[in-house]
């Protein structure tokens, strides 16, 4: 894995996001654009990023009837983004429709991934609010990952603690994209279940989505490089390979 970090551009507008990215001159890291920034700026901001060679994960977490998701994916695929997602809770018909929509857009390189259980969902919510019983969040995430795999999706968003079980169930090439990553000793903010870059690499995580640890850092580029190095050292140690 050449670039394991996806920086979450959790900014309220494009001006602030561009100011932050100006520090990364010459790096063009993989970035995540979520609902706040996309709803504020729309497709022109995605074009701006792609013209500057950023890889883009468009994190809109689609969840609607299959036809609507199919048509939305056709539009999103035309933006030439590198990754996009849906909620696995939308079901297998919806996930298959999303995949078909993406294919029909002609964007063959765009990875389609599924959100399993949000890291903000705990077992009380699962049982008492959603009435999903006789399971745990972890089991449910693995089950959703298997459904996503069977629908032809490329991977899932999950917590680093769930990666191992999901890789065992779905195969090592099925992507694990994990938020909640914090360098050792740093502020965990509102994330309940965190992992260090080293632990993420050891668990087999493919991409770490990291926001505030980088975006709120005084030295964001240095922090980005420190995180990449910690991950690469652990990954190389586990896989006995070196990076050029
Ligand atoms: O600042 P922080 O590193 O916590 O940002 C994590 C990013 O990952 C945010 O953009 C957040 O919306 C996203 N995310 C998450 N947990 C999920 C899914 C997405 O934190 N389960």
């Amino acid at each position: 894995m050449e670039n394991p970090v996806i920086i979450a551009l959790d900014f309220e507008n494009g001006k602030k996001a561009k100011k932050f990215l100006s520090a990364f001159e010459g790096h063009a890291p993989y970035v995540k654009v979520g609902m706040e920034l996309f709803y504020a700026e729309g497709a022109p901001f995605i074009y701006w990023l792609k013209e500057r060679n950023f890889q883009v994960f468009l994190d809109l977490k689609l969840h609607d009837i299959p036809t609507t998701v199919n048509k939305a994916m056709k539009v999103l695929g035309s933006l030439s983004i590198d990754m996009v997602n849906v909620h696995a809770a939308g079901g297998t018909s919806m996930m298959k429709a999303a995949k078909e929509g993406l294919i029909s857009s002609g964007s063959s390189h765009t990875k389609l991934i599924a959100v399993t259980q949000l890291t903000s969902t705990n077992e009380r919510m699962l049982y008492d609010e959603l009435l999903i019983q006789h399971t745990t969040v972890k089991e449910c995430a693995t089950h959703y990952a298997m459904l996503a795999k069977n629908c032809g999706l490329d991977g899932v968003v999950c917590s680093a603690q769930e990666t191992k079980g999901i890789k065992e169930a779905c195969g090592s090439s099925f992507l694990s994209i994990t938020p909640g990553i914090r360098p050792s000793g740093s502020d965990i903010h509102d994330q309940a279940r965190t992992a260090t870059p080293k632990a993420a690499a050891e668990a087999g995580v493919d991409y770490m989505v990291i926001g505030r640890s980088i975006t709120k850092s005084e030295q964001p580029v240095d922090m980005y490089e420190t995180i990449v190095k910690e991950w690469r050292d652990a990954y190389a140690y586990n896989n006995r390979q070196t990076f050029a």
Side-chain angles (χ1 to χ4, degrees), residues 119-244:
T119 43
S120 53
T121 301
N122 57 30
E123 256 131 50
R124 189 202 59 75
M125 283 171 64
L126 206 63
Y127 303 156
D128 298 343
E129 293 181 20
L130 306 177
L131 298 185
I132 298 173
Q133 290 158 352
H134 315 297
T135 188
T136 60
V137 170
K138 202 169 183 172
E139 276 172 5
C140 191
T142 304
H143 176 63
Y144 282 4
M146 287 162 72
L147 295 180
K149 162 97 179 162
N150 291 339
C151 293
L153 272 60
D154 300 290
V156 284
V157 182
C158 61
S159 86
Q161 285 91 338
E162 289 148 10
T163 297
K164 197 165 173 283
I166 288 173
K167 292 269 182 184
E168 279 165 11
C170 301
S172 60
S173 62
F174 192 66
L175 299 174
S176 164
I177 292 101
T178 61
I181 304 293
R182 292 291 179 273
S184 318
S186 69
D187 189 343
I188 68 165
H189 305 106
D190 57 353
Q191 293 284 8
R193 293 158 71 209
T194 61
T196 61
K198 180 172 182 281
E202 286 166 356
V205 164
D206 296 287
Y207 292 101
M208 303 176 288
V209 174
I210 306 183
R212 287 160 292 182
S213 295
I214 297 175
T215 57
K216 302 279 186 212
S217 166
E218 300 270 314
Q219 304 289 342
V221 179
D222 290 353
M223 179 57 93
Y224 171 79
E225 286 174 346
T226 302
I227 291 169
V228 171
K229 186 175 184 318
E230 182 180 331
W231 190 93
R232 283 185 175 177
D233 287 349
Y235 186 88
Y237 181 79
N238 284 342
N239 294 277
R240 303 289 190 276
Q241 66 182 68
T242 51
F243 293 88

